[in-house]
Amino acid sequence: MVVLVKFFLFVSLITVFVVSAIEVNTGNDFNQYANNYVGEGIADFQEATSFEDLVSDVQSDLHSDVQSDAEQFLDLRRRGHQNKPLKYEVYDEYNKKNKGFVSKPFYPSPLGGRIPNVWQEAYEKARKLVEKMSITEKVNLTTGTGWGSGPCIGNTGGNKLVPPFCIQDGPNGVRFADFVTSFPTGLAAGSTFNRGLMYLRGKAIALEHKRKGVDVVLGPTIGPIGLKAAGGRNWESFGNDPYLEGIAGRVTVEGIQEEGVIACVRHLIGNEQETFRQVGEWDNNLQASISSNIGDRAMHEVYLFPFADAINAGAGSVMCSFNRVNNSYACENPALLNGLLKDELGFQGFVMSDWGAQHTGVYSCLAGLDMTMPGEIFNNWCSGKSYWGPLLTRAVYNQTIPQSRLNDMAVRILAPFFVVGCQDFNNNSPPNFSSWTYHTYGQEFPYAHYGPILQVNWHVDARDKFTEETALQVAREAIVLLKNDGRNLPISPDKGVRRLLIAGIAAGASADGFNCKDQKCVDGVITSGWGSAAVNNPYVITPYEAVARKAIDLDMVVDFTRDSYSFETVDEASDYADMAIVFVSADSGEGYIQIDDNYGDRKNLSLWHNGDELIKHVAERCRKTVVVVNSVGPVNMEKWIDHENVVAVLYAAPLGQFVGKAIAEVLFGDVNPSGRLPFTIARKDDHYVKIVNELPEDGEPQDDFNHDIYLDYKFFDKHNLKPRFEFGYGLSYTSFALSSLKISEIQAPTEFLPRPEKYLSIYKMCEDDICDPEDALFPHDEMEPVPGFIYPYLFNEKIVSVDEFEYPKGYTPDQFNDPPLAGGGLGGNPALWDILYTVKAKVTNTGAITGSYVAQLYVEFPCTHVGSPSRQLRGFDKVKLQPGGKSRVHFDLLRRDLSIWDTSSQQWIIQKGTYKIFIGSSSRKLELCGEIEIETNDN
Ligand code: BGC
């Protein structure tokens, strides 16, 4: 659809401008600099012929032209309220003309602050501030100042009313800082299946960020969800199940935000592999980032599900991902950002781009992006070139972007600060560290080689007893005991173990140390995967040190070898040992680092460093071989798992700095293992979804998520595939019994959701006077421009020009008056969070030692309307019991827990029929079973 306004496209006239210490010095004329920079020709910021033309056209022609395009969708949305199935094409098949999956338009970007009783006070405060700001001040909130232009990973420009904001990775602790804790990873937290501990971890992580002066934590990671076993970043998030991921995401957000720091949940959405995630990263022939093609039902029941939880918990920010979603980039995908996130899930905070994941200016803005990070265009770091900054100011001045949109962006950015307890911005502590050096003094803008030498690090110790104890406890509870034949664990001299061998590279430190940048040293114990979620270890006690210390205290003799290839030493030492503990590993990480042809994603699921052979050599010679797998996800264990001498196996996700201590405590029985697998370990690699790693001819890879809603164990169950170890599996040194299942109805379910309240009327914010662009020029009399720094100021007064601006298909500026039926509250329709049933059961510790048990609740849905997985996790409760001790486990079944997403009527419905409720010790060991019969009688 083309609006009949005359715009002209700024054409690139000037050659590439490169910032360097030589070309840009302090004396440079800013306009010269600005002109060069504009000369790059950033294609989608166009300029209007005249204000009058533009205003009248936007108000009249725009509407008639777009009406027909938008009609079908608007109609669909309205009719969703009638609770009747519709005959429209389903969401993911909208406009099937080009490729299989095409995202539909959804405009305009919903204004925040319109949900009754939600964040109203915060919005009032934020609006008051924003109303006092000029356009450039508002733009300054939306655009990062540029890579390295500030102490944090992401920095916004401040103004007289608000300070610059410090935005920092990440989900496992403060990145690029000293005196912080390296926490166990998300995957480790997920393995604990301990909701309370996950919450404390969130709190502890936030406390350390706060003490370092961080305003926004880039975490938790709840996407990837683990669709692909080899996916590079699965270790950042909590495990391969939407419910587990949702609960963990929710309580982590609560923990973080209660400490006064904003959580930015990442990555929305479908970032299930690193390969091809971003043009310009590895493969020069890649023309567009991989498109994660996700069907409507899977989108709701799997991928968006945990985001709904995090938003319901009040998350202030969401990060959109690098990949495309149904063929539109996630950060300019209106169906995703405007439709699903802001309209349906009622998200009231701000959407931040992943670092360089923005690909257009106006389009991304209209599609719902609120903040671009780090400010520049991808791979143009330190260039000062941005899709926003000055160009956003210009687009607002020439009214291509309505002021109401900019106001909404600014208000959305500020409102979460008030939600997390900020009173005003006068008492904010600025960052006391620099992401760019660990030295005390450094240049103010190190990448631009500009500015004075200042104190940049105060080395504030952000750790305390609480944060460290929490990290250690998560590490302990994350460890999963997979095998313990003959009860050889815990280790004890009473069981005839006097000569202990510790073998394997993963038992000790990498030759490169514990802290090569972003944890890419992989030849030792793994504290985390590599990438932006990695944290500098303040110290690491290795498994070798921790295990040896305990063994020595028990008067054992201890031998150690790293030998993984020649086996000379290993063979001899294994012959001699009463017990051998073999530490093996597999690592992965983020796509910008490649290690041994693992492009972030793992190239296979085998153990690294010849681990299989090492285990076999040891097991051939030592009758009591214990294997400790320290890895970022499942590994193929088939070569050795059934070996009769492999008597015990532990799985440890990356556990942070306390990895050694936690593993040793479990091995020697100071801690009874209570972790559960947050994913399935398969017998065959073919049973997992593969990484897409072949580039098609057009350079635009497509990734159809054709496992649909059957993620992980649900796929194995559906196809009757026997896993090696199933999701939720984990042993203990004691035994438990379950009994006395009791299900009580709290609220009678209805088939359809109740209609949510109407949106509040639109709050009309004061609009700025944009008659005189001179007001928005760089204030040369007040300051000098810093090279590479992204300012919000116009390059010149010429903001109007002649050409046509093509608004996106389906664009309309008219806001909706009603939320969709599935919406109307934080995370969706408020009724989704109603408790319909409670389920209770009794757990008894029938063994001889204290231990913790994870009771898991799975639901089998009826297939009245559509088929569903035979078991879906819908609750977990962990209890610690003395020998003989009994306790109740308790589960709340929410409306959402029993709902399916109905693609035709675009709402969550509860089907009539029998719901089987299972309580058990894993997804395949279900000890108790009950039923709920639902006879809905909606009108
Ligand atoms: C990652 C994000 C991270 C950002 C800043 C990106 O490469 O995908 O998760 O927050 O870098 O470090």
Side-chain angles (χ1 to χ4, degrees):
M1 189 279 310
V2 175
V3 180
L4 303 173
V5 183
K6 300 263 193 280
F7 292 93
F8 105 101
L9 192 62
F10 210 103
V11 186
S12 172
L13 298 169
I14 301 173
T15 47
V16 180
F17 177 77
V18 183
V19 173
S20 79
I22 304 153
E23 287 177 59
V24 179
N25 55 47
T26 50
N28 258 8
D29 174 80
F30 181 75
N31 281 326
Q32 178 59 39
Y33 159 59
N35 281 334
N36 281 337
Y37 157 171
V38 172
E40 281 289 280
I42 292 159
D44 82 303
F45 274 85
Q46 289 107 32
E47 308 178 357
T49 333
S50 73
F51 292 141
E52 299 73 47
D53 278 357
L54 189 103
V55 172
S56 66
D57 283 340
V58 166
Q59 283 165 359
S60 57
D61 298 340
L62 176 62
H63 263 109
S64 52
D65 270 24
V66 299
Q67 207 60 35
S68 55
D69 284 330
E71 195 58 42
Q72 172 178 344
F73 172 64
L74 297 180
D75 198 28
L76 170 68
R77 190 172 174 292
R78 285 191 195 106
R79 288 173 59 186
H81 287 253
Q82 297 172 2
N83 296 332
K84 300 252 167 55
L86 299 174
K87 289 244 169 58
Y88 276 99
E89 295 163 300
V90 295
Y91 171 97
D92 50 310
E93 285 168 348
Y94 183 89
N95 188 358
K96 247 190 152 162
K97 272 175 254 155
N98 315 323
K99 309 238 163 92
F101 289 79
V102 177
S103 244
K104 69 175 187 227
F106 189 113
Y107 296 100
S109 190
L111 288 175
R114 295 187 63 205
I115 302 183
N117 306 317
V118 171
W119 289 22
Q120 288 306 312
E121 216 180 293
Y123 260 77
E124 255 172 52
K125 290 184 183 165
R127 282 181 189 131
K128 268 197 194 131
L129 274 181
V130 171
E131 283 189 322
K132 290 187 201 137
M133 291 181 190
S134 66
I135 286 176
T136 47
E137 284 172 327
K138 294 175 209 173
V139 168
N140 219 14
L141 297 175
T142 68
T143 307
T145 54
W147 184 246
S149 293
C152 303
I153 281 289
N155 305 275
T156 56
N159 61 42
K160 58 185 182 296
L161 298 165
V162 298
F165 297 136
C166 169
I167 297 169
Q168 192 73 3
D169 294 294
N172 306 315
V174 191
R175 183 184 183 197
F176 290 160
D178 56 7
F179 296 96
V180 294
T181 302
S182 162
F183 285 89
T185 55
L187 195 64
S191 309
T192 68
F193 277 74
N194 184 339
R195 190 181 171 130
L197 195 52
M198 294 169 182
Y199 163 78
L200 293 179
R201 175 178 171 274
K203 257 185 143 33
I205 288 173
L207 270 169
E208 295 199 0
H209 277 90
K210 195 169 178 77
R211 290 173 185 147
K212 289 288 185 184
V214 174
D215 299 295
V216 181
V217 179
L218 297 171
T221 305
I222 51 175
I225 202 170
L227 172 67
K228 307 187 177 196
R233 299 181 77 175
N234 294 347
W235 54 274
E236 288 186 33
S237 43
F238 302 98
N240 302 4
D241 179 86
Y243 183 87
L244 174 62
E245 197 83 61
I247 296 293
R250 160 188 292 280
V251 298
T252 306
V253 166
E254 282 166 4
I256 290 175
Q257 297 202 158
E258 278 170 23
E259 292 307 325
V261 184
I262 295 170
C264 176
V265 283
R266 69 193 203 182
H267 306 86
L268 189 81
I269 204 164
N271 192 170
E272 297 295 329
Q273 65 170 61
E274 294 300 284
T275 311
F276 303 143
R277 70 172 188 165
Q278 180 68 304
V279 176
E281 203 159 64
W282 292 112
D283 192 323
N284 292 335
N285 299 318
L286 184 68
Q287 301 302 313
S289 298
I290 191 162
S291 176
S292 298
N293 299 328
I294 311 176
D296 189 22
R297 189 165 171 213
M299 177 64 95
H300 283 85
E301 293 186 20
V302 181
Y303 299 94
L304 207 57
F305 196 96
F307 283 91
D309 273 295
I311 289 161
N312 186 251
S317 175
V318 168
M319 183 189 288
C320 48
S321 52
F322 281 122
N323 53 288
R324 291 178 298 154
V325 179
N326 297 344
N327 284 291
S328 295
Y329 277 104
C331 290
E332 60 185 56
N333 187 319
L336 177 65
L337 304 183
N338 290 340
L340 291 174
L341 183 66
K342 291 184 174 175
D343 195 42
E344 190 181 309
L345 298 189
F347 176 60
Q348 300 296 298
F350 59 100
V351 180
M352 182 196 299
S353 75
D354 199 339
W355 266 233
Q358 187 193 28
H359 293 263
T360 55
V362 173
Y363 293 129
S364 63
C365 176
L366 299 179
L369 184 69
D370 302 303
M371 182 186 275
T372 180
M373 276 293 153
E376 297 99 336
I377 296 167
F378 186 79
N379 260 357
N380 284 262
W381 312 130
C382 311
S383 67
K385 281 188 280 182
S386 178
Y387 286 115
W388 283 2
L391 300 183
L392 181 55
T393 304
R394 189 170 62 172
V396 173
Y397 262 83
N398 67 28
Q399 300 191 22
T400 308
I401 290 174
Q403 276 200 51
S404 56
R405 175 74 194 104
L406 178 64
N407 286 338
D408 185 55
M409 292 156 80
V411 173
R412 279 176 175 275
I413 290 167
L414 296 186
F417 283 89
F418 299 112
V419 170
V420 304
C422 161
Q423 296 304 323
D424 52 42
F425 286 100
N426 298 331
N427 298 322
N428 264 38
S429 341
N432 51 41
F433 70 104
S434 164
S435 299
W436 320 115
T437 176
Y438 289 113
H439 291 297
T440 307
Y441 294 92
Q443 199 168 19
E444 191 178 5
F445 299 100
Y447 286 130
H449 309 292
Y450 181 85
I453 305 287
L454 302 167
Q455 178 161 5
V456 291
N457 275 308
W458 281 261
H459 312 289
V460 170
D461 198 336
R463 301 164 302 168
D464 64 15
K465 199 160 182 288
F466 165 69
T467 62
E468 290 192 315
E469 273 296 315
T470 303
L472 176 58
Q473 189 58 17
V474 175
R476 288 172 174 143
E477 290 199 29
I479 295 167
V480 188
L481 177 63
L482 297 175
K483 180 175 178 182
N484 194 15
D485 287 358
R487 295 181 177 263
N488 282 289
L489 292 185
I491 302 170
S492 155
D494 303 344
K495 298 177 192 167
V497 181
R498 294 184 58 222
R499 300 177 295 203
L500 191 68
L501 167 66
I502 301 170
I505 283 175
S510 158
D512 297 320
F514 295 125
N515 283 319
C516 23
K517 198 154 186 180
D518 289 336
Q519 298 303 358
K520 60 186 174 200
C521 17
V522 296
D523 298 339
V525 59
I526 288 176
T527 55
S528 80
W530 68 77
S532 63
V535 176
N536 211 39
N537 286 302
Y539 59 86
V540 176
I541 296 171
T542 63
Y544 166 72
E545 287 167 290
V547 170
R549 173 63 45 218
K550 285 193 176 289
I552 294 163
D553 287 349
L554 292 169
D555 297 327
M556 295 179 185
V557 293
V558 183
D559 201 355
F560 171 63
T561 171
R562 273 175 66 88
D563 173 11
S564 255
Y565 291 93
S566 73
F567 299 119
E568 216 177 293
T569 323
V570 169
D571 289 351
E572 211 173 301
S574 307
D575 268 340
Y576 173 75
D578 298 322
M579 177 178 270
I581 310 174
V582 191
F583 287 87
V584 286
S585 66
D587 208 346
S588 72
E590 199 177 324
Y592 66 90
I593 294 172
Q594 184 254 108
I595 296 175
D596 190 20
D597 292 337
N598 295 277
Y599 292 84
D601 305 317
R602 283 185 282 164
K603 63 184 174 195
N604 57 45
L605 298 173
S606 309
L607 289 169
W608 286 30
H609 316 300
N610 212 18
D612 289 330
E613 289 309 307
L614 174 66
I615 296 168
K616 284 199 287 183
H617 268 261
V618 175
E620 283 306 309
R621 289 158 184 85
C622 178
R623 269 195 327 108
K624 292 180 182 171
T625 300
V626 176
V627 177
V628 179
V629 178
N630 181 202
S631 83
V632 287
V635 295
N636 190 318
M637 302 181 169
E638 294 308 304
K639 289 192 175 136
W640 45 264
I641 189 75
D642 282 331
H643 195 296
E644 58 176 348
N645 289 346
V646 174
V647 291
V649 180
L650 291 180
Y651 168 72
L655 299 179
Q657 69 182 77
F658 292 114
V659 52
K661 185 168 168 55
I663 291 175
E665 286 179 349
V666 167
L667 286 171
F668 285 86
D670 310 279
V671 168
N672 190 346
S674 65
R676 297 292 181 264
L677 279 183
F679 47 71
T680 299
I681 298 183
R683 286 167 188 261
K684 290 189 177 157
D685 294 358
D686 284 353
H687 293 167
Y688 291 122
V689 181
K690 301 246 169 327
I691 300 289
V692 172
N693 51 19
E694 279 188 21
L695 194 61
E697 249 173 46
D698 66 359
E700 300 191 7
Q702 300 289 322
D703 190 1
D704 294 349
F705 285 16
N706 48 24
H707 276 214
D708 192 32
I709 54 172
Y710 296 91
L711 181 72
D712 197 82
Y713 61 94
K714 296 166 190 166
F715 182 79
F716 285 74
D717 292 344
K718 181 168 192 241
H719 297 283
N720 217 4
L721 302 171
K722 200 167 171 220
R724 172 53 68 177
F725 296 111
E726 71 271 18
F727 177 91
Y729 176 84
L731 302 171
S732 165
Y733 296 152
T734 186
S735 52
F736 299 93
L738 275 172
S739 60
S740 317
L741 175 67
K742 187 164 176 244
I743 303 174
S744 320
E745 183 177 293
I746 303 295
Q747 187 182 312
T750 53
E751 183 170 2
F752 300 118
L753 288 165
R755 187 183 294 268
E757 275 188 68
K758 270 180 121 40
Y759 281 139
L760 297 171
S761 52
I762 293 171
Y763 176 91
K764 188 99 189 70
M765 289 186 64
C766 307
E767 303 232 318
D768 271 48
D769 175 8
I770 50 171
C771 294
D772 191 356
E774 203 189 332
D775 300 343
L777 292 178
F778 192 93
H780 284 284
D781 44 344
E782 288 169 28
M783 60 181 181
E784 281 208 346
V786 174
F789 197 99
I790 299 165
Y791 295 98
Y793 304 112
L794 289 172
F795 299 125
N796 51 47
E797 289 175 59
K798 194 170 144 310
I799 56 155
V800 181
S801 56
V802 277
D803 207 345
E804 289 186 343
F805 175 74
E806 196 173 330
Y807 275 90
K809 190 175 161 63
Y811 178 72
T812 166
D814 283 350
Q815 293 283 328
F816 289 101
N817 293 325
D818 295 286
L821 189 57
L826 287 180
N829 189 311
L832 289 166
W833 316 100
D834 289 349
I835 301 173
L836 302 187
Y837 299 92
T838 57
V839 180
K840 291 181 184 150
K842 203 167 23 160
V843 186
T844 309
N845 182 345
T846 51
I849 55 170
T850 301
S852 296
Y853 179 76
V854 179
Q856 299 165 43
L857 185 150
Y858 293 86
V859 179
E860 181 183 327
F861 286 50
C863 297
T864 324
H865 204 73
V866 282
S868 290
S870 55
R871 293 178 263 286
Q872 307 199 53
L873 183 72
R874 285 296 185 259
F876 55 88
D877 195 7
K878 191 170 196 174
V879 282
K880 187 169 184 183
L881 296 169
Q882 310 278 331
K886 295 182 192 350
S887 174
R888 280 210 174 282
V889 281
H890 177 108
F891 311 91
D892 289 332
L893 284 177
L894 311 182
R895 182 184 182 102
R896 191 177 65 146
D897 295 333
L898 300 177
S899 297
I900 55 156
W901 178 255
D902 183 33
T903 55
S904 54
S905 64
Q906 293 290 291
Q907 59 174 305
W908 293 98
I909 60 167
I910 293 192
Q911 304 167 94
K912 293 180 190 179
T914 308
Y915 291 72
K916 286 202 179 130
I917 308 296
F918 300 102
I919 309 221
S921 314
S922 79
S923 60
R924 290 199 164 203
K925 193 168 177 221
L926 304 164
E927 284 103 333
L928 301 178
C929 178
E931 283 183 2
I932 298 175
E933 198 59 44
I934 298 187
E935 282 297 330
T936 56
N937 54 348
D938 290 26
N939 310 320

